[in-house]
C-alpha cells in the first residue's frame, strides 16, 4: 500500500492527517460552497454588494423556485431529460452490438474499425460543426430534441463501443464457443448470453454518457435556437444574460443544472468510477 | 365528374390555406420584463382587432436571438421576426431570406407618409424590407445630483467636457463609466467622437470602407479619445464588465457619466436611482461648427421570405405602423416612435431625446449596423484594446486597415 | 450445417456493426471530409458557396487572431497537463484507509461531474475584482485586485486554472483506481530493500501506474486542445480576442453574432483537426503497441 499506511505512522501524524482532510476538502470545494452561499442569498444582499459576507436572510426556497417561475428553466430541464435519456439508450444499444462484433469476431477490418471508433471520439467538435448543422437543417431536424439525440448518440458511440468491446473481450470465450457448438444462433448468443453478462458495463456507461450529454454545451448551442428544445446548459447561458446581476438566481440555476449528474454520481459511484477508469488498469 | 373533382380541389386548397390563415407565428427578441410586456400588449391588441387571427409568440433572449435568427430564417421561419435594419439586415436580404415589403410601404397610409426620416435605414437595393417600431437616442446620461453638488454645468463643448471630467476626478468621482465586455459600448463612444470630430459624411465613408482607419482624420478622433483615456477618466476594469454591471458605479456615485442609449434608464432606476438624480445631455461639440449627427439605432420587424402566413404578417406590420400603437408601445419602453405624427411621452428623457434626434443633421445606426459584420467585430475589438492600451494605436489601426481591405472587396 | 454456420458467421459481424457504423459515418466521418471541402469555399451559410481554393489558408497565415489562438492553445497544452501530476498527488494524499475516506474521495471528485459551464460561471465570479473572492483576498492585503479575466496578461491563465479544477479531479480518480491495483508485494519488497518515499514512488509505483498515466495524458491533451466551454462562458475570447483558442475562434468566425464566414471557420477547424490528429495518431500508435503486447 503506497504511501505508507497512516496506521503505521506516529499518532501525531495521524491526527494531523485527520484534521487536514476536512480542511483540504473545504479549500478544494470552496468554489462550490461559494456558489451555494450565493444561491441562498437575497436580492437585497446582491444589490448592496454583500456577495461573500454573511447573508442577511436565507432565501433558499424563494431563489430556487424563483428560477423556475421567472424563466423557462422548467422547459430547459425537461429538454435536457428528453435529450439525455434517449441518447443514453440509443448509444449503448448501438455500442453493445458493435462492441460484440469487434470483440467476438475475427475479421480483418475489426482492428482498424476499432481504432476508427476511438479516433472519432477524440476529434474536435469544430470539425463537425458546420456539416452537422447543415445536415440537421436540411433534414428538418434542426432545433429539435431528435436532432440532438441523433448526433450525441452517434458521437458517443465511439467511446461506448471502445468500452463494450474491451469489456466483452474480457468475458470467457468458452461460453460463446460452447453455445455455438450447441448450435445456438448468433443473435440468441448475443441477446440471451452476452447481454446479461455486460450489465455492469452498461450501468457504468449509462451513468457516464448521461453526465457527458447532460453537461454538453457546444452542440446545444449549435443545434438549437429557441426555448422549445434548449437544454439546461445552453439555457444557463441565456439565464445568465436574462438575470444579469441577479447572481443569486443564476447561482441557483447553476446548481440546479448541475444536480442531476451529481445525484447520478452519488447514487451510482461504483459504476461511474468503473466506467472512467477502465483502461487505467490492466487485468 | 370534372366538376366534382374541381370543387374537391377548391375545397382542399381552401382548407389548406385557411390552416395557415389565422395563425401568425412571431419571434421576438427581448425577455426583459418591460419590453416583453409591451410587445405582448401589442400582440393582444392586434388579436383583439383581428379576432380571426391567432398569434403564437415566442421570445428569445436578446443575445441568443442573434445567432438563432440566422438558423431559423432558413429552417422553419416564423411569419414575423424582430431584427435590426441597416447593414445588419444585409446578409439576410442579400441571401433572399427576407420578404420585400416595398408594396406595403407604398400602400399603407402610415408607412407611405410618416416614416420618411427612417426610410433610408430600412431600404436596401431600392426596396424596403422591414418596419421599424422604435428607435432611441444615445447621448450622455449623468448624475445630476453629483454635478449640482460639484457645481458642474452640462458641458456643451469639448473643453467644457474635459474640464468637467477633471473636476469630477479631483473630487474623487470617476468621470465616465463603461462596460466594454460587450464590445458595442466602446463602439458607441467611438461613433460619437468620430461624428463630432469629422462629421456624418466622413463617418459613413469609414463604415462604408471608403476611408482607411489610418487616415489622419480618424487618427484625430483617436487623439480626442486619448484625452479621455490617458488621464484615467474611464472606470477601471471595464473590460470585464457588462453594460449592466457598469451601471453599478453610476448608481453608487462612484462614476458620474455614461455614454449610453435610452434603454439604460430603466436599468439605472432598477439600480436604485430616482428620476431626479439622472439627466441627459447630447454629446458635446468637438469640432466647432460641425453639424450635429446623432446615433439613433432602430429596432424593426421583418417578414422572412419563407413565412407561411405573409398576408396576416403584412396586416400585423400595418398595425404596428399605426401612430397610436407606436405611441403606447414606445411610451412603455421609454423609446421614440419612428412615426413622425406619433405622440411622444412626457418623460423628460424622451422629450430631450426627441429634441436631440429631430434636430440632428444625420442619424447614424451604430457602428455594428453601419459596418459589415466582420469589420464591426474587428473594429470594436480594436476600440476596446485601444481603451486599455492606447500606446498600441498604430498597430491597431494598421490591423483594422488590413481587415477593411479583406472585407470590402 | 458446418458451411451454413460459416456463412452466418461471416455475415453476422456486418449486421452487428452496421447500425453503429452508419451513425458514426454519417455524423462523424463524413462531416470531417465535408469540413475540408467547405474550407475551400467562401460561404456565409445563407447563400451560395464560391470556390476559392487555398485562399482561406493563405489568409490564416496573415491573421493575428489566428496566431493569438494558436499561442493560447499552446499555453493550454502545457499548463493543462499539470492536472496529471496534481491528480497523482491528491490521489496519493487520499490513498489511506481512515474512516470516511470513501466520502472524501467522492467529494474530491465532485468537480468533474459538474458541467463546464457551471465551473466557468463559478470562477468568473471568483475572479471578479469588485466582489469576487480574489478581490477580497487582494484587498485584505491592501493591494489593488487585478482584473484577471479583463487583463490580457492573466486571462488565459485564469481560464486554465478554472479548467484544471475538474480535470485534476478526473486524473485523481484514475490514479486512485490505479493505486488500488498496484501489486503490494513489489512495494513491500522495495521497502525491505530500504527504498522509501520518492524513490519508492519513482521506481516501483509509477511504472505500475503507467496505464492510468497514459489515459490521463491522452484525455488531458485532447481536452486542452478541444477546450471551448470555459472560454465561451467566461470571456467569449476577450478581452479583444486575447484569450481566444482555435476552437472558439472557429465558432466565432462561422456562427456567432458577427461571424458569417463558414468557409474561413472551416479552414480554422481543419487546422485544429490536423494538430489534434498528430496527437491522436501518436496515441493510437501507443495503444496499438499495448494491444499487441496484451494479446
Amino acid at each position: 500500500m503506497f504511501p505508507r499506511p497512516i496506521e503505521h505512522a506516529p499518532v501525531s501524524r495521524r491526527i494531523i492527517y485527520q484534521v487536514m482532510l476536512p480542511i483540504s476538502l473545504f479549500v478544494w470545494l470552496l468554489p462550490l460552497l461559494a456558489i451555494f452561499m450565493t444561491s441562498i442569498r437575497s436580492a437585497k444582499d446582491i444589490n448592496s454588494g454583500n456577495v461573500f459576507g454573511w447573508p442577511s436572510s436565507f432565501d433558499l426556497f424563494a431563489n430556487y423556485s424563483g428560477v423556475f417561475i421567472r424563466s423557462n428553466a422548467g422547459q430547459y430541464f425537461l429538454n435536457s431529460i428528453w435529450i439525455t435519456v434517449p441518447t443514453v439508450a440509443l448509444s449503448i444499444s448501438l455500442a453493445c452490438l458493435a462492441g460484440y462484433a469487434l470483440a467476438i469476431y475475427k475479421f480483418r477490418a475489426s482492428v482498424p474499425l476499432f481504432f476508427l471508433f476511438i479516433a472519432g471520439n477524440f476529434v474536435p467538435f469544430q470539425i463537425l460543426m458546420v456539416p452537422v448543422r447543415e445536415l440537421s437543417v436540411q433534414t428538418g431536424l434542426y432545433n429539435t430534441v431528435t436532432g440532438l439525440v441523433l448526433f450525441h448518440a452517434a458521437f458517443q458511440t465511439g467511446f461506448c463501443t471502445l468500452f463494450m468491446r474491451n469489456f466483452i473481450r474480457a468475458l470467457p470465450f468458452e461460453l460463446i464457443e460452447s453455445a455455438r457448438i450447441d448450435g445456438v444462433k448468433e443473435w440468441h448468443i448475443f441477446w440471451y448470453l452476452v447481454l446479461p453478462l455486460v450489465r455492469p458495463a452498461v450501468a457504468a456507461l449509462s451513468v457516464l454518457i448521461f453526465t457527458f450529454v447532460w453537461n454538453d454545451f457546444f452542440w446545444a448551442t449549435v443545434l438549437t435556437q429557441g426555448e422549445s428544445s434548449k437544454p439546461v446548459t445552453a439555457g444557463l447561458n441565456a439565464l445568465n444574460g436574462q438575470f444579469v446581476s441577479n447572481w443569486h438566481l443564476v447561482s441557483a440555476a447553476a446548481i440546479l443544472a448541475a444536480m442531476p449528474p451529481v445525484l447520478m454520481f452519488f447514487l451510482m459511484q461504483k459504476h461511474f468510477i468503473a466506467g472512467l477508469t477502465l483502461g487505467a488498469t490492466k487485468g | 365528374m370534372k366538376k366534382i373533382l374541381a370543387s374537391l380541389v377548391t375545397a382542399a386548397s381552401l382548407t389548406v390555406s385557411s390552416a395557415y390563415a389565422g395563425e401568425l407565428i412571431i419571434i421576438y427578441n427581448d425577455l426583459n420584463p418591460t419590453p416583453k410586456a409591451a410587445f405582448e400588449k401589442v400582440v393582444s391588441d392586434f388579436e383583439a382587432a383581428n379576432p380571426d387571427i391567432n398569434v403564437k409568440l415566442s421570445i428569445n433572449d436578446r443575445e441568443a436571438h442573434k445567432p438563432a435568427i440566422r438558423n431559423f430564417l432558413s429552417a422553419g421561419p416564423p411569419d414575423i421576426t424582430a431584427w435590426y435594419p441597416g447593414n445588419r439586415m444585409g446578409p439576410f436580404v442579400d441571401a433572399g431570406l427576407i420578404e420585400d415589403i416595398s408594396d406595403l410601404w407604398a400602400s399603407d397610409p402610415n408607412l407611405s407618409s410618416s416614416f420618411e426620416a427612417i426610410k433610408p435605414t430600412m431600404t436596401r437595393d431600392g426596396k424596403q424590407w422591414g418596419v421599424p417600431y422604435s428607435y432611441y437616442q444615445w447621448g450622455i446620461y449623468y448624475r445630476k445630483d453629483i454635478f449640482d453638488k460639484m457645481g458642474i454645468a452640462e458641458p456643451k463643448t469639448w473643453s467644457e467636457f474635459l474640464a468637467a471630467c477633471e473636476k469630477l476626478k479631483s473630487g474623487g468621482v470617476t468621470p465616465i463609466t463603461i462596460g466594454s465586455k460587450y464590445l458595442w459600448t466602446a463602439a458607441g463612444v467611438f461613433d460619437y467622437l468620430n461624428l463630432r470630430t469629422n462629421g456624418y459624411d466622413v463617418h459613413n465613408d469609414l463604415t462604408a470602407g471608403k476611408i482607411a482607419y489610418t487616415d489622419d482624420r480618424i487618427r484625430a478622433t483617436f487623439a480626442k479619445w486619448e484625452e479621455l483615456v490617458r488621464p484615467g477618466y474611464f472606470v477601471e476594469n471595464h473590460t470585464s464588465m457588462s453594460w449592466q454591471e457598469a451601471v453599478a458605479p453610476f448608481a453608487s456615485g462612484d462614476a458620474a457619466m455614461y455614454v449610453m442609449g435610452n434603454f439604460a434608464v430603466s436599468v439605472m432606476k432598477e439600480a436604485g436611482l430616482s428620476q431626479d438624480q439622472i439627466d441627459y445631455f447630447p454629446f458635446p461639440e468637438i469640432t466647432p461648427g460641425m453639424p450635429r449627427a446623432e446615433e439613433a439605432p432602430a429596432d424593426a420587424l421583418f417578414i422572412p421570405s419563407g413565412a407561411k402566413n405573409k398576408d396576416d404578417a403584412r396586416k400585423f406590420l400595418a398595425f404596428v405602423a399605426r401612430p397610436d400603437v407606436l405611441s403606447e408601445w414606445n411610451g412603455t419602453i421609454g423609446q421614440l416612435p419612428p412615426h413622425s405624427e406619433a405622440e411622444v411621452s412626457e418623460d423628460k428623457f424622451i422629450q430631450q431625446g426627441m429634441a436631440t434626434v429631430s434636430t440632428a443633421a444625420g442619424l447614424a445606426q451604430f457602428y455594428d449596423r453601419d459596418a459589415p459584420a466582420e469589420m464591426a467585430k474587428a473594429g470594436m475589438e480594436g476600440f476596446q484594446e485601444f481603451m486599455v492600451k492606447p500606446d498600441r494605436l498604430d498597430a491597431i489601426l494598421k490591423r483594422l486597415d488590413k481587415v477593411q481591405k479583406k472585407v470590402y472587396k | 450445417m458446418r458451411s451454413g454456420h460459416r456463412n452466418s458467421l461471416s455475415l453476422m459481424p456486418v449486421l452487428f456493426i452496421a447500425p453503429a457504423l452508419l451513425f458514426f459515418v454519417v455524423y462523424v466521418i463524413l462531416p470531417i471530409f465535408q469540413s475540408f471541402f467547405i474550407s475551400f469555399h467562401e460561404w456565409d451559410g445563407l447563400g451560395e458557396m464560391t470556390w476559392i481554393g487555398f485562399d482561406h489558408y493563405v489568409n490564416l497565415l496573415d491573421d493575428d487572431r489566428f496566431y493569438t489562438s494558436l499561442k493560447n492553445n499552446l499555453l493550454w497544452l502545457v499548463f493543462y497537463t499539470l492536472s496529471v501530476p496534481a491528480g497523482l498527488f491528491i490521489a496519493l494524499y487520499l490513498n489511506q484507509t481512515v474512516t470516511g475516506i470513501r466520502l472524501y474521495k467522492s467529494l474530491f471528485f465532485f468537480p468533474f461531474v459538474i458541467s463546464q459551464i457551471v465551473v466557468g460561471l463559478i470562477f468568473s465570479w471568483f475572479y471578479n475584482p469588485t466582489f469576487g473572492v480574489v478581490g477580497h483576498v487582494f484587498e485584505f492585503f491592501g493591494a489593488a485586485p487585478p482584473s484577471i479575466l479583463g487583463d490580457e496578461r492573466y486571462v488565459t491563465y485564469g481560464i486554465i486554472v478554472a479548467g484544471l479544477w475538474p480535470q485534476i479531479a478526473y486524473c485523481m480518480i484514475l490514479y486512485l483506481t490505479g493505486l488500488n491495483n498496484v501489486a503490494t508485494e513489489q512495494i513491500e519488497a522495495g521497502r525491505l530493500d530500504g527504498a522509501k518515499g520518492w524513490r519508492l514512488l519513482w521506481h516501483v509505483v509509477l511504472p505500475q501506474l503507467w496505464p492510468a498515466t497514459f489515459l490521463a495524458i491522452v484525455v488531458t491533451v485532447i481536452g486542452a486542445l478541444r477546450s471551448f466551454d470555459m472560454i465561451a462562458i467566461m470571456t467569449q475570447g476577450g478581452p479583444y480576442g486575447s484569450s481566444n483558442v482555435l476552437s472558439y475562434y472557429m465558432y466565432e468566425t462561422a456562427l456567432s453574432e458577427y461571424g458569417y464566414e463558414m468557409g474561413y471557420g472551416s479552414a480554422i477547424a481543419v487546422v485544429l483537426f490536423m494538430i489534434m490528429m498528430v496527437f491522436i495518431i501518436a496515441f493510437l500508435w501507443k495503444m496499438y503497441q499495448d494491444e499487441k503486447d496484451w494479446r
Side-chain angles (χ1 to χ4, degrees):
Chain A
M1 157 91 155
F2 187 85
R4 185 175 295 277
I6 207 80
E7 297 89 63
H8 300 170
V11 178
S12 55
R13 259 206 150 175
R14 219 182 308 161
I15 294 183
I16 295 179
Y17 184 72
Q18 300 258 35
V19 165
M20 285 304 293
L21 267 182
I23 295 179
S24 49
L25 183 67
F26 179 77
V27 171
W28 182 248
L29 291 184
L30 196 57
L32 269 173
L33 295 169
I35 204 183
F36 181 69
M37 285 303 288
T38 314
S39 72
I40 60 176
R41 229 170 255 284
S42 66
K44 201 160 59 90
D45 275 349
I46 304 292
N47 283 331
S48 59
N50 178 20
V51 180
F52 283 113
W54 192 255
S56 59
S57 65
F58 289 87
D59 288 347
L60 192 142
F61 185 68
N63 287 349
Y64 280 80
S65 56
V67 169
F68 284 104
I69 297 173
R70 288 170 60 166
S71 76
N72 277 332
Q75 180 71 37
Y76 300 152
F77 262 86
L78 275 178
N79 289 337
S80 278
I81 295 178
W82 282 126
I83 294 169
T84 312
V85 172
T87 301
V88 169
L90 185 57
S91 51
I92 293 187
S93 313
L94 292 174
C96 283
L97 290 169
Y100 178 75
L102 290 175
I104 300 297
Y105 298 101
K106 292 186 187 16
F107 55 104
R108 288 182 63 172
S110 80
V111 171
L113 273 179
F114 177 56
F115 280 113
L116 185 71
F117 278 114
I118 300 180
N121 196 43
F122 286 151
V123 300
F125 290 150
Q126 286 69 33
I127 196 77
L128 308 175
M129 185 180 102
V130 173
V132 170
R133 192 176 152 271
E134 274 312 294
L135 177 67
S136 306
V137 168
Q138 276 158 22
T139 49
L141 288 175
Y142 181 76
N143 197 34
T144 59
V145 164
T146 318
L148 266 176
V149 168
L150 288 179
F151 172 77
H152 278 304
F155 191 80
Q156 298 297 339
T157 301
F159 175 73
C160 296
T161 305
L162 152 69
F163 198 90
M164 293 308 300
R165 179 261 199 190
N166 281 350
F167 193 86
I168 296 178
R169 268 243 268 182
L171 295 174
F173 194 63
E174 308 83 57
L175 286 172
I176 318 258
E177 268 181 327
S178 54
R180 280 190 182 152
I181 292 173
D182 284 348
V184 181
K185 290 228 246 309
E186 287 300 307
W187 176 257
H188 288 182
I189 296 182
F190 171 74
W191 190 262
Y192 292 111
L193 184 58
V194 174
L195 267 191
L197 288 176
V198 301
R199 266 200 288 244
V202 167
L205 270 184
S206 310
V207 178
L208 272 184
I209 303 301
F210 183 90
T211 306
F212 293 153
V213 177
W214 182 278
N215 287 343
D216 160 75
F217 171 70
F218 182 78
W219 291 104
T221 315
V222 170
L223 293 180
T224 66
Q225 60 191 37
E227 309 292 290
S228 61
S229 51
K230 197 186 289 194
V232 278
T233 41
L236 193 59
N237 203 18
L239 287 175
N240 193 26
Q242 185 187 344
F243 288 142
V244 72
S245 294
N246 282 324
W247 308 122
H248 54 304
L249 288 174
V250 188
S251 328
I255 294 210
L256 284 170
M259 269 297 115
V262 168
L263 281 175
M264 266 268 190
F265 168 65
F266 277 110
L267 289 175
M268 306 183 61
Q269 264 178 70
K270 262 199 343 245
H271 297 300
F272 205 94
I273 294 174
L276 281 179
T277 56
L278 185 78
T281 58
K282 278 289 183 244
Chain B
M1 184 61 193
K2 261 200 194 158
K3 272 223 194 121
I4 299 173
L5 206 55
S7 51
L8 273 176
V9 169
T10 323
S13 61
L14 273 177
T15 43
V16 165
S17 60
S18 63
Y20 290 142
E23 183 171 88
L24 191 66
I25 304 177
I26 305 185
I27 299 186
Y28 189 62
N29 68 344
D30 205 333
L31 278 173
N32 287 313
T34 314
K36 177 170 177 274
F39 189 65
E40 282 169 345
K41 175 97 186 356
V42 171
V43 166
S44 65
D45 286 347
F46 175 74
E47 281 179 313
N50 295 277
D52 56 325
I53 302 182
N54 175 36
V55 173
K56 265 181 63 173
L57 174 64
S58 83
I59 307 186
N60 284 334
D61 157 67
R62 197 155 255 261
E63 295 301 316
H65 186 82
K66 292 167 180 172
I69 189 172
R70 35 194 303 186
N71 302 320
F72 68 63
L73 275 185
S74 31
D79 298 309
I80 298 246
T81 179
W83 191 237
Y84 314 109
N87 248 326
R88 275 303 197 97
M89 67 179 182
F92 303 137
V93 168
D94 294 343
L97 291 169
I98 307 273
E99 175 85 353
D100 174 7
I101 54 170
S102 313
D103 57 317
L104 190 64
W105 276 78
S107 63
D108 181 81
N110 288 307
L111 287 172
S112 54
S113 61
S114 315
F115 281 72
E116 290 312 302
I118 205 157
K119 196 169 174 184
T121 315
M122 306 306 307
T123 307
R124 195 172 173 88
D125 295 331
K127 310 191 190 78
Q128 285 75 47
W129 302 92
V131 169
Y133 63 86
S134 179
Y135 67 133
Y136 47 94
Q137 80 274 21
W138 270 63
I140 301 191
Y141 291 83
Y142 70 101
R143 286 290 300 271
K144 188 154 174 27
D145 47 349
I146 298 182
F147 268 48
D148 286 343
K149 199 168 71 169
M150 292 192 168
I152 308 175
E154 286 185 4
K156 298 249 177 329
T157 67
W158 185 245
S159 45
E160 282 172 23
F161 185 66
L162 287 178
C165 289
E166 188 50 49
K167 206 159 178 195
L168 286 165
K169 191 150 172 78
S170 44
V173 175
T174 311
I176 312 170
T177 179
I178 186 170
S180 69
K181 184 170 180 194
Y182 295 115
L183 302 169
W184 50 267
T185 50
V189 177
F190 171 77
D191 275 0
Y192 265 115
L193 288 167
N194 202 29
L195 286 171
R196 291 283 183 272
T197 309
N198 294 314
Y200 186 63
D201 292 329
V202 171
H203 185 70
N204 275 340
D205 283 344
L206 179 68
T207 53
K210 298 189 187 131
I211 301 182
Y213 283 84
T214 42
D215 187 295
D216 285 336
R217 292 168 286 184
I218 310 299
R219 279 188 192 274
T221 305
F222 279 95
K224 287 279 171 268
W225 204 347
E226 213 173 321
E227 288 175 34
L228 297 176
V229 170
R230 289 265 181 224
Y233 289 155
F234 286 101
V235 78
E236 269 183 9
N237 297 331
H238 54 79
T239 51
S240 57
M241 291 204 282
S242 67
W243 73 265
Q244 296 100 323
E245 285 166 286
V247 170
F250 187 80
S252 65
D254 288 330
M257 290 189 274
Y258 205 169
V259 178
M260 252 296 149
N262 206 48
F263 53 85
V265 172
S266 58
V267 179
M268 292 173 188
K269 289 188 183 158
E270 278 164 28
L273 291 175
S274 73
Q275 179 90 335
D276 296 322
Q277 288 173 285
I278 322 171
D279 207 351
Y280 164 91
F281 61 85
F283 202 90
E285 188 185 48
I286 299 182
T287 305
M290 179 67 69
R292 192 173 45 86
E294 299 290 337
E295 291 256 76
D299 292 325
L301 295 171
F302 297 83
I303 306 179
S305 56
K308 297 204 171 77
N309 191 356
K310 294 186 190 169
D311 294 332
D312 287 344
R314 279 184 160 80
K315 281 199 193 133
F316 188 79
L317 290 184
F319 179 79
V320 162
R322 280 167 37 178
D324 49 334
V325 174
L326 286 174
S327 289
E328 189 184 343
W329 191 354
N330 282 282
T332 314
I333 57 178
Q335 291 181 191
L336 302 170
H339 193 297
S340 55
E341 315 285 313
E343 263 178 38
V344 165
S345 109
E346 289 297 307
D347 172 81
K348 73 176 178 193
F349 296 110
I350 301 295
Q351 290 292 323
Q352 289 185 73
M354 198 69 214
T356 309
V357 158
S358 53
T359 53
L363 292 180
Q365 276 299 299
F366 210 86
Y367 186 76
D368 68 349
R369 301 182 197 185
D370 289 327
E374 201 186 332
M375 184 74 244
K377 179 93 205 285
M380 296 193 295
E381 277 184 351
F383 301 151
Q384 193 195 29
E385 190 175 355
F386 171 74
M387 288 185 77
V388 175
K389 296 262 183 278
D391 295 323
R392 294 205 190 137
L393 180 61
D394 226 25
I396 295 175
L397 291 178
K398 290 208 177 78
R399 189 177 70 228
L400 291 183
D401 273 355
K402 211 162 60 169
V403 175
Q404 195 185 44
K405 280 196 189 62
K406 205 182 121 206
V407 170
Y408 292 90
K409 51 181 167 354
Chain C
M1 171 106 124
R2 261 281 163 90
S3 64
H5 223 157
R6 210 178 295 140
N7 281 343
S8 70
L9 269 180
S10 58
L11 189 58
M12 285 320 287
V14 175
L15 287 179
F16 275 104
I17 279 207
L21 198 56
L22 181 69
F23 264 87
F24 206 65
V25 165
V26 166
Y27 274 101
V28 180
I29 306 299
L30 264 183
I32 296 178
F33 289 102
Q34 284 172 312
S35 281
F36 271 82
F37 182 68
I38 295 176
S39 74
F40 294 123
H41 292 79
E42 176 94 30
W43 189 35
D44 67 350
L46 302 166
E48 295 293 303
M49 278 208 250
T50 11
W51 175 268
I52 57 164
F54 281 94
D55 272 5
H56 282 315
Y57 293 97
V58 170
N59 283 331
L60 265 183
L61 287 175
D62 197 24
D63 186 352
D64 294 332
R65 288 273 162 269
F66 174 67
Y67 289 112
T68 312
S69 307
L70 208 53
K71 185 197 86 178
N72 282 327
N73 270 119
L74 201 61
L75 284 175
W76 271 87
L77 198 55
V78 167
F79 287 99
Y80 205 54
T81 23
L82 287 177
S83 61
V84 179
L88 174 63
F89 283 118
I90 300 189
L92 290 173
Y93 175 65
L94 291 180
N95 196 29
Q96 301 289 351
T97 45
V98 293
T99 41
I101 196 70
R102 266 200 66 194
L103 185 64
Y104 280 105
K105 289 181 185 175
S106 312
L107 288 174
F108 262 87
F109 184 58
F110 203 172
F112 180 73
V113 187
I114 308 174
S115 167
Q116 297 226 320
I117 292 297
V118 177
V119 175
L121 269 180
I122 295 177
F123 275 83
S124 302
W125 296 333
F126 239 53
Y127 290 146
N128 191 304
T130 325
F131 60 74
V133 170
V134 167
H136 277 67
V137 167
F138 269 80
E139 272 163 19
F140 183 72
F141 288 107
S147 169
I148 294 181
L149 292 182
D151 190 324
E152 57 176 12
R153 294 166 297 179
Y154 308 133
V155 59
T156 301
Y157 297 107
I159 307 178
I160 296 179
V161 165
L164 278 174
W165 193 47
Q167 193 67 11
I168 294 179
Y170 174 76
C171 295
M172 176 201 81
I173 214 73
L174 282 181
Y175 277 122
L176 274 177
T177 314
L179 281 171
N180 272 341
N181 294 321
V182 160
T184 38
E185 318 82 55
Q186 286 201 25
I187 299 187
E188 290 312 315
R191 283 214 178 99
L192 285 174
D193 277 349
K196 55 180 174 172
W198 290 102
R199 288 189 59 200
L200 197 57
L201 174 67
W202 189 259
H203 291 285
V204 180
V205 180
L206 269 184
Q208 292 195 53
L209 289 177
W210 172 244
T213 306
F214 182 65
L215 193 56
I217 293 180
V218 169
V219 176
T220 305
V221 166
I222 299 291
L225 292 171
R226 269 210 303 212
S227 72
F228 176 90
D229 292 3
M230 298 269 177
I231 293 109
I233 193 82
M234 290 173 91
T235 60
Q236 294 89 50
Y240 43 89
S242 49
S243 68
N244 227 342
V245 287
L246 287 174
S247 60
Y248 193 75
Y249 187 39
M250 183 270 172
Y251 169 79
E252 228 179 28
T253 331
L255 209 55
S256 72
E257 185 178 351
Y258 300 105
Y260 291 84
E261 298 252 341
M262 300 279 193
Y264 195 60
S266 296
I268 302 172
V270 166
V271 171
L272 177 61
F273 178 71
M274 301 298 264
I275 296 176
M276 293 190 72
M277 273 317 274
V278 170
F279 288 94
I280 294 176
I281 292 181
F283 292 139
L284 285 183
W285 182 251
K286 188 80 191 55
M287 282 188 215
Y288 183 64
Q289 303 287 4
D290 286 350
E291 278 274 312
K292 279 205 314 206
D293 296 339
W294 195 63
R295 269 173 209 258

